[in-house]
Tab-separated table of all heavy atoms in Angstrom:
chain	number	residue	atom	x	y	z
A	365	VAL	N	114.904	-42.900	63.508
A	365	VAL	CA	114.991	-41.494	63.690
A	365	VAL	C	114.356	-41.025	65.063
A	365	VAL	O	114.823	-40.123	65.687
A	365	VAL	CB	114.273	-40.705	62.496
A	365	VAL	CG1	114.168	-39.258	62.815
A	365	VAL	CG2	114.951	-40.993	61.185
A	366	LEU	N	113.336	-41.766	65.469
A	366	LEU	CA	112.705	-41.467	66.766
A	366	LEU	C	113.673	-41.687	67.906
A	366	LEU	O	113.714	-41.018	68.867
A	366	LEU	CB	111.435	-42.356	66.921
A	366	LEU	CG	110.554	-42.016	68.136
A	366	LEU	CD1	110.121	-40.597	68.113
A	366	LEU	CD2	109.396	-42.949	68.224
A	367	LEU	N	114.501	-42.763	67.739
A	367	LEU	CA	115.510	-43.057	68.764
A	367	LEU	C	116.513	-41.865	68.840
A	367	LEU	O	116.940	-41.453	69.944
A	367	LEU	CB	116.258	-44.348	68.467
A	367	LEU	CG	115.416	-45.677	68.568
A	367	LEU	CD1	116.363	-46.802	68.188
A	367	LEU	CD2	114.870	-45.838	69.901
A	368	ALA	N	116.933	-41.397	67.664
A	368	ALA	CA	117.881	-40.253	67.682
A	368	ALA	C	117.268	-39.007	68.268
A	368	ALA	O	117.914	-38.318	69.002
A	368	ALA	CB	118.313	-40.002	66.234
A	369	GLY	N	115.991	-38.770	67.920
A	369	GLY	CA	115.330	-37.566	68.563
A	369	GLY	C	115.170	-37.714	70.032
A	369	GLY	O	115.422	-36.712	70.764
A	370	ALA	N	114.855	-38.952	70.523
A	370	ALA	CA	114.705	-39.096	71.935
A	370	ALA	C	116.067	-38.932	72.680
A	370	ALA	O	116.149	-38.373	73.739
A	370	ALA	CB	114.063	-40.473	72.313
A	371	ALA	N	117.139	-39.454	72.040
A	371	ALA	CA	118.466	-39.307	72.646
A	371	ALA	C	118.909	-37.819	72.679
A	371	ALA	O	119.415	-37.353	73.703
A	371	ALA	CB	119.477	-40.111	71.900
A	372	LEU	N	118.618	-37.147	71.572
A	372	LEU	CA	118.943	-35.681	71.593
A	372	LEU	C	118.169	-34.934	72.594
A	372	LEU	O	118.693	-34.064	73.313
A	372	LEU	CB	118.786	-35.124	70.188
A	372	LEU	CG	119.181	-33.638	69.961
A	372	LEU	CD1	120.653	-33.470	70.246
A	372	LEU	CD2	118.902	-33.236	68.541
A	373	GLN	N	116.824	-35.246	72.709
A	373	GLN	CA	116.016	-34.591	73.731
A	373	GLN	C	116.495	-34.852	75.063
A	373	GLN	O	116.539	-33.937	76.023
A	373	GLN	CB	114.624	-35.057	73.540
A	373	GLN	CG	113.635	-34.388	74.472
A	373	GLN	CD	113.047	-35.297	75.526
A	373	GLN	OE1	113.513	-36.414	75.683
A	373	GLN	NE2	112.058	-34.796	76.258
A	374	LEU	N	116.896	-36.099	75.311
A	374	LEU	CA	117.430	-36.424	76.660
A	374	LEU	C	118.688	-35.607	77.064
A	374	LEU	O	118.770	-35.052	78.128
A	374	LEU	CB	117.829	-37.918	76.705
A	374	LEU	CG	118.516	-38.490	77.973
A	374	LEU	CD1	117.640	-38.297	79.193
A	374	LEU	CD2	118.897	-39.943	77.770
A	375	ALA	N	119.594	-35.486	76.088
A	375	ALA	CA	120.810	-34.680	76.361
A	375	ALA	C	120.416	-33.239	76.578
A	375	ALA	O	120.960	-32.591	77.556
A	375	ALA	CB	121.734	-34.807	75.182
A	376	VAL	N	119.567	-32.642	75.740
A	376	VAL	CA	119.283	-31.224	75.891
A	376	VAL	C	118.566	-30.955	77.221
A	376	VAL	O	118.815	-30.027	77.981
A	376	VAL	CB	118.401	-30.724	74.734
A	376	VAL	CG1	117.827	-29.319	75.024
A	376	VAL	CG2	119.166	-30.827	73.455
A	377	VAL	N	117.608	-31.786	77.593
A	377	VAL	CA	116.822	-31.536	78.838
A	377	VAL	C	117.723	-31.846	80.067
A	377	VAL	O	117.680	-31.084	81.056
A	377	VAL	CB	115.607	-32.508	78.920
A	377	VAL	CG1	114.885	-32.390	80.263
A	377	VAL	CG2	114.654	-32.123	77.781
A	378	LEU	N	118.670	-32.759	80.005
A	378	LEU	CA	119.559	-33.023	81.183
A	378	LEU	C	120.446	-31.784	81.333
A	378	LEU	O	120.707	-31.379	82.530
A	378	LEU	CB	120.388	-34.285	80.942
A	378	LEU	CG	119.724	-35.626	81.248
A	378	LEU	CD1	120.660	-36.777	81.017
A	378	LEU	CD2	119.285	-35.614	82.760
A	379	VAL	N	120.966	-31.270	80.266
A	379	VAL	CA	121.806	-30.074	80.354
A	379	VAL	C	121.009	-28.897	80.966
A	379	VAL	O	121.486	-28.188	81.861
A	379	VAL	CB	122.411	-29.661	79.034
A	379	VAL	CG1	123.067	-28.308	79.082
A	379	VAL	CG2	123.464	-30.703	78.570
A	380	THR	N	119.785	-28.761	80.542
A	380	THR	CA	118.941	-27.757	81.062
A	380	THR	C	118.624	-27.953	82.599
A	380	THR	O	118.628	-27.004	83.362
A	380	THR	CB	117.601	-27.654	80.300
A	380	THR	OG1	117.880	-27.489	78.925
A	380	THR	CG2	116.689	-26.525	80.804
A	381	LEU	N	118.382	-29.151	82.982
A	381	LEU	CA	118.087	-29.405	84.347
A	381	LEU	C	119.320	-29.184	85.230
A	381	LEU	O	119.220	-28.601	86.375
A	381	LEU	CB	117.681	-30.851	84.520
A	381	LEU	CG	116.267	-31.209	84.060
A	381	LEU	CD1	115.926	-32.717	84.228
A	381	LEU	CD2	115.185	-30.356	84.770
A	382	ILE	N	120.511	-29.532	84.720
A	382	ILE	CA	121.739	-29.219	85.470
A	382	ILE	C	121.940	-27.687	85.611
A	382	ILE	O	122.276	-27.184	86.670
A	382	ILE	CB	122.901	-29.898	84.829
A	382	ILE	CG1	122.781	-31.450	84.936
A	382	ILE	CG2	124.253	-29.436	85.470
A	382	ILE	CD1	123.849	-32.222	84.194
A	383	TRP	N	121.700	-27.018	84.438
A	383	TRP	CA	121.810	-25.517	84.514
A	383	TRP	C	120.784	-24.940	85.457
A	383	TRP	O	121.134	-24.080	86.306
A	383	TRP	CB	121.572	-25.027	83.088
A	383	TRP	CG	121.433	-23.567	82.878
A	383	TRP	CD1	122.094	-22.590	83.652
A	383	TRP	CD2	120.636	-22.861	81.955
A	383	TRP	NE1	121.715	-21.326	83.145
A	383	TRP	CE2	120.788	-21.483	82.176
A	383	TRP	CE3	119.786	-23.303	80.939
A	383	TRP	CZ2	120.126	-20.548	81.386
A	383	TRP	CZ3	119.063	-22.340	80.190
A	383	TRP	CH2	119.325	-20.962	80.413
A	384	ARG	N	119.539	-25.433	85.409
A	384	ARG	CA	118.490	-24.937	86.287
A	384	ARG	C	118.880	-25.276	87.755
A	384	ARG	O	118.716	-24.455	88.659
A	384	ARG	CB	117.222	-25.602	85.888
A	384	ARG	CG	116.064	-25.315	86.822
A	384	ARG	CD	114.815	-25.989	86.175
A	384	ARG	NE	113.576	-25.835	87.053
A	384	ARG	CZ	113.281	-26.693	88.036
A	384	ARG	NH1	114.048	-27.758	88.227
A	384	ARG	NH2	112.231	-26.486	88.768
A	385	GLY	N	119.363	-26.495	88.021
A	385	GLY	CA	119.709	-26.855	89.375
A	385	GLY	C	120.853	-26.023	89.945
A	385	GLY	O	120.863	-25.677	91.138
A	386	ARG	N	121.831	-25.673	89.095
A	386	ARG	CA	122.973	-24.870	89.499
A	386	ARG	C	122.484	-23.482	89.958
A	386	ARG	O	122.861	-22.965	90.954
A	386	ARG	CB	124.019	-24.733	88.445
A	386	ARG	CG	125.276	-23.952	88.850
A	386	ARG	CD	126.133	-23.757	87.686
A	386	ARG	NE	125.538	-22.970	86.651
A	386	ARG	CZ	125.580	-21.634	86.611
A	386	ARG	NH1	126.129	-20.959	87.608
A	386	ARG	NH2	124.982	-20.978	85.593
A	387	ASP	N	121.569	-22.935	89.115
A	387	ASP	CA	121.036	-21.600	89.413
A	387	ASP	C	120.215	-21.650	90.711
A	387	ASP	O	120.306	-20.749	91.513
A	387	ASP	CB	120.205	-21.047	88.264
A	387	ASP	CG	121.039	-20.650	87.085
A	387	ASP	OD1	122.290	-20.616	87.234
A	387	ASP	OD2	120.468	-20.418	85.992
A	388	ARG	N	119.422	-22.697	90.858
A	388	ARG	CA	118.638	-22.755	92.098
A	388	ARG	C	119.547	-22.948	93.281
A	388	ARG	O	119.236	-22.435	94.372
A	388	ARG	CB	117.699	-23.979	92.007
A	388	ARG	CG	116.487	-23.682	91.041
A	388	ARG	CD	115.776	-24.981	90.669
A	388	ARG	NE	115.239	-25.636	91.810
A	388	ARG	CZ	114.057	-25.460	92.288
A	388	ARG	NH1	113.194	-24.583	91.644
A	388	ARG	NH2	113.539	-26.115	93.304
A	389	SER	N	120.628	-23.742	93.153
A	389	SER	CA	121.550	-23.918	94.252
A	389	SER	C	122.182	-22.581	94.671
A	389	SER	O	122.364	-22.264	95.822
A	389	SER	CB	122.565	-24.944	93.887
A	389	SER	OG	123.528	-25.114	94.873
A	390	LEU	N	122.625	-21.810	93.639
A	390	LEU	CA	123.253	-20.511	93.927
A	390	LEU	C	122.267	-19.605	94.636
A	390	LEU	O	122.527	-18.865	95.580
A	390	LEU	CB	123.749	-19.889	92.672
A	390	LEU	CG	124.916	-20.499	91.976
A	390	LEU	CD1	125.234	-19.832	90.663
A	390	LEU	CD2	126.164	-20.452	92.906
A	391	THR	N	120.947	-19.663	94.223
A	391	THR	CA	119.944	-18.817	94.875
A	391	THR	C	119.757	-19.203	96.336
A	391	THR	O	119.652	-18.353	97.178
A	391	THR	CB	118.623	-18.987	94.109
A	391	THR	OG1	118.764	-18.582	92.738
A	391	THR	CG2	117.501	-18.173	94.786
A	392	ARG	N	119.773	-20.482	96.590
A	392	ARG	CA	119.670	-21.017	97.967
A	392	ARG	C	120.849	-20.536	98.809
A	392	ARG	O	120.726	-20.151	99.953
A	392	ARG	CB	119.503	-22.516	97.980
A	392	ARG	CG	118.091	-22.943	97.607
A	392	ARG	CD	117.895	-24.443	98.043
A	392	ARG	NE	118.779	-25.276	97.260
A	392	ARG	CZ	118.478	-25.880	96.138
A	392	ARG	NH1	117.284	-25.729	95.623
A	392	ARG	NH2	119.350	-26.689	95.525
A	393	GLN	N	122.012	-20.589	98.137
A	393	GLN	CA	123.209	-20.158	98.880
A	393	GLN	C	123.126	-18.693	99.238
A	393	GLN	O	123.516	-18.229	100.327
A	393	GLN	CB	124.480	-20.439	98.060
A	393	GLN	CG	124.771	-21.913	97.931
A	393	GLN	CD	126.022	-22.155	97.064
A	393	GLN	OE1	126.667	-21.202	96.600
A	393	GLN	NE2	126.233	-23.438	96.705
A	394	ARG	N	122.587	-17.909	98.285
A	394	ARG	CA	122.476	-16.413	98.541
A	394	ARG	C	121.433	-16.221	99.672
A	394	ARG	O	121.678	-15.356	100.516
A	394	ARG	CB	122.047	-15.719	97.259
A	394	ARG	CG	123.066	-15.708	96.150
A	394	ARG	CD	122.706	-14.838	95.014
A	394	ARG	NE	123.521	-14.908	93.894
A	394	ARG	CZ	123.296	-15.615	92.779
A	394	ARG	NH1	122.123	-16.268	92.691
A	394	ARG	NH2	124.150	-15.646	91.808
A	395	LEU	N	120.347	-16.996	99.608
A	395	LEU	CA	119.332	-16.811	100.685
A	395	LEU	C	119.918	-17.266	102.073
A	395	LEU	O	119.630	-16.556	103.038
A	395	LEU	CB	118.100	-17.631	100.343
A	395	LEU	CG	117.274	-17.196	99.080
A	395	LEU	CD1	116.207	-18.164	98.797
A	395	LEU	CD2	116.776	-15.765	99.394
A	396	ARG	N	120.698	-18.282	102.018
A	396	ARG	CA	121.308	-18.658	103.335
A	396	ARG	C	122.311	-17.682	103.820
A	396	ARG	O	122.554	-17.508	105.007
A	396	ARG	CB	121.999	-20.040	103.220
A	396	ARG	CG	121.035	-21.200	103.127
A	396	ARG	CD	121.738	-22.523	103.382
A	396	ARG	NE	122.802	-22.737	102.345
A	396	ARG	CZ	122.672	-23.474	101.292
A	396	ARG	NH1	121.484	-24.022	101.056
A	396	ARG	NH2	123.602	-23.652	100.424
A	397	GLY	N	122.905	-16.891	102.859
A	397	GLY	CA	123.935	-15.854	103.289
A	397	GLY	C	123.311	-14.534	103.607
A	397	GLY	O	124.079	-13.647	103.953
A	398	LEU	N	121.966	-14.381	103.567
A	398	LEU	CA	121.369	-13.124	103.879
A	398	LEU	C	121.583	-12.781	105.360
A	398	LEU	O	121.632	-11.540	105.688
A	398	LEU	CB	119.905	-13.102	103.597
A	398	LEU	CG	119.454	-13.116	102.157
A	398	LEU	CD1	117.931	-13.193	101.966
A	398	LEU	CD2	120.033	-11.881	101.430
A	399	ASP	N	121.854	-13.685	106.239
A	399	ASP	CA	122.093	-13.331	107.657
A	399	ASP	C	123.509	-12.956	107.866
A	399	ASP	O	123.835	-12.456	108.968
A	399	ASP	CB	121.733	-14.491	108.594
A	399	ASP	CG	122.598	-15.723	108.223
A	399	ASP	OD1	123.060	-15.837	107.103
A	399	ASP	OD2	122.745	-16.657	109.066
A	400	ARG	N	124.389	-12.960	106.863
A	400	ARG	CA	125.728	-12.614	106.960
A	400	ARG	C	126.203	-11.575	105.994
A	400	ARG	O	127.214	-10.921	106.137
A	400	ARG	CB	126.671	-13.863	106.819
A	400	ARG	CG	126.443	-15.004	107.767
A	400	ARG	CD	127.526	-16.007	107.676
A	400	ARG	NE	128.792	-15.434	107.936
A	400	ARG	CZ	129.226	-15.228	109.185
A	400	ARG	NH1	128.545	-15.537	110.253
A	400	ARG	NH2	130.512	-14.751	109.359
A	401	VAL	N	125.346	-11.355	104.909
A	401	VAL	CA	125.779	-10.412	103.862
A	401	VAL	C	124.515	-9.473	103.638
A	401	VAL	O	123.376	-9.946	103.415
A	401	VAL	CB	126.149	-11.077	102.533
A	401	VAL	CG1	126.428	-10.013	101.501
A	401	VAL	CG2	127.357	-12.009	102.776
A	402	ASP	N	124.756	-8.185	103.636
A	402	ASP	CA	123.675	-7.212	103.383
A	402	ASP	C	123.290	-7.281	101.916
A	402	ASP	O	124.203	-7.014	101.080
A	402	ASP	CB	124.166	-5.794	103.801
A	402	ASP	CG	123.138	-4.776	103.449
A	402	ASP	OD1	121.994	-4.912	103.809
A	402	ASP	OD2	123.572	-3.748	102.770
A	403	PRO	N	122.147	-7.561	101.564
A	403	PRO	CA	121.781	-7.747	100.131
A	403	PRO	C	121.903	-6.446	99.347
A	403	PRO	O	122.095	-6.470	98.133
A	403	PRO	CB	120.347	-8.228	100.168
A	403	PRO	CG	119.777	-7.817	101.475
A	403	PRO	CD	120.935	-7.835	102.407
A	404	ALA	N	121.771	-5.288	100.012
A	404	ALA	CA	121.807	-4.006	99.236
A	404	ALA	C	123.205	-3.548	98.886
A	404	ALA	O	123.459	-2.942	97.791
A	404	ALA	CB	121.123	-2.894	100.104
A	405	THR	N	124.173	-3.896	99.736
A	405	THR	CA	125.534	-3.434	99.556
A	405	THR	C	126.584	-4.496	99.415
A	405	THR	O	127.712	-4.256	98.970
A	405	THR	CB	125.982	-2.414	100.725
A	405	THR	OG1	125.945	-3.201	101.935
A	405	THR	CG2	125.015	-1.268	100.792
A	406	GLY	N	126.258	-5.685	99.807
A	406	GLY	CA	127.228	-6.813	99.806
A	406	GLY	C	128.181	-6.777	101.011
A	406	GLY	O	129.131	-7.619	101.092
A	407	LEU	N	127.993	-5.897	101.966
A	407	LEU	CA	128.841	-5.840	103.136
A	407	LEU	C	128.317	-6.769	104.223
A	407	LEU	O	127.194	-7.311	104.140
A	407	LEU	CB	128.848	-4.370	103.706
A	407	LEU	CG	129.265	-3.265	102.743
A	407	LEU	CD1	129.223	-1.913	103.428
A	407	LEU	CD2	130.683	-3.549	102.190
A	408	ALA	N	129.163	-6.949	105.303
A	408	ALA	CA	128.772	-7.830	106.340
A	408	ALA	C	127.595	-7.331	107.172
A	408	ALA	O	127.416	-6.060	107.301
A	408	ALA	CB	129.953	-8.081	107.243
A	409	THR	N	126.725	-8.158	107.642
A	409	THR	CA	125.553	-7.763	108.440
A	409	THR	C	126.040	-7.502	109.895
A	409	THR	O	127.173	-7.888	110.288
A	409	THR	CB	124.522	-8.905	108.480
A	409	THR	OG1	125.126	-10.011	109.011
A	409	THR	CG2	124.029	-9.174	106.986
A	410	PRO	N	125.224	-6.916	110.763
A	410	PRO	CA	125.570	-6.682	112.146
A	410	PRO	C	126.055	-7.941	112.851
A	410	PRO	O	127.011	-7.896	113.610
A	410	PRO	CB	124.317	-6.117	112.756
A	410	PRO	CG	123.647	-5.382	111.579
A	410	PRO	CD	123.914	-6.261	110.415
A	411	ALA	N	125.368	-9.026	112.664
A	411	ALA	CA	125.740	-10.307	113.328
A	411	ALA	C	127.102	-10.716	112.877
A	411	ALA	O	127.961	-11.122	113.703
A	411	ALA	CB	124.686	-11.388	112.998
A	412	ALA	N	127.362	-10.620	111.560
A	412	ALA	CA	128.760	-10.999	111.112
A	412	ALA	C	129.753	-10.071	111.599
A	412	ALA	O	130.911	-10.436	111.916
A	412	ALA	CB	128.703	-11.027	109.549
A	413	VAL	N	129.459	-8.779	111.740
A	413	VAL	CA	130.441	-7.799	112.267
A	413	VAL	C	130.820	-8.112	113.703
A	413	VAL	O	131.969	-8.103	114.100
A	413	VAL	CB	129.864	-6.390	112.166
A	413	VAL	CG1	130.698	-5.412	113.026
A	413	VAL	CG2	129.812	-5.962	110.746
A	414	ARG	N	129.795	-8.443	114.544
A	414	ARG	CA	130.108	-8.732	115.957
A	414	ARG	C	130.854	-10.036	116.069
A	414	ARG	O	131.699	-10.188	116.960
A	414	ARG	CB	128.757	-8.756	116.723
A	414	ARG	CG	128.074	-7.409	116.780
A	414	ARG	CD	126.832	-7.493	117.649
A	414	ARG	NE	126.153	-6.188	117.636
A	414	ARG	CZ	126.471	-5.153	118.380
A	414	ARG	NH1	127.488	-5.228	119.250
A	414	ARG	NH2	125.832	-4.020	118.281
A	415	GLU	N	130.596	-10.954	115.173
A	415	GLU	CA	131.376	-12.226	115.187
A	415	GLU	C	132.818	-11.956	114.874
A	415	GLU	O	133.725	-12.460	115.461
A	415	GLU	CB	130.750	-13.221	114.288
A	415	GLU	CG	131.449	-14.622	114.226
A	415	GLU	CD	130.851	-15.543	113.224
A	415	GLU	OE1	129.652	-15.313	112.859
A	415	GLU	OE2	131.545	-16.481	112.797
Side-chain angles (χ1 to χ4, degrees):
V365 173
L366 187 60
L367 294 180
L372 185 59
Q373 183 250 8
L374 173 62
V376 172
V377 174
L378 278 180
V379 170
T380 302
L381 287 177
I382 293 173
W383 172 34
R384 174 177 176 271
R386 182 186 65 85
D387 288 351
R388 288 165 61 92
S389 178
L390 290 176
T391 300
R392 286 195 294 267
Q393 291 177 10
R394 294 189 187 101
L395 292 175
R396 286 196 299 265
L398 287 179
D399 60 340
R400 302 190 59 83
V401 178
D402 176 52
T405 61
L407 302 180
T409 60
V413 167
R414 294 185 183 276
E415 181 181 340

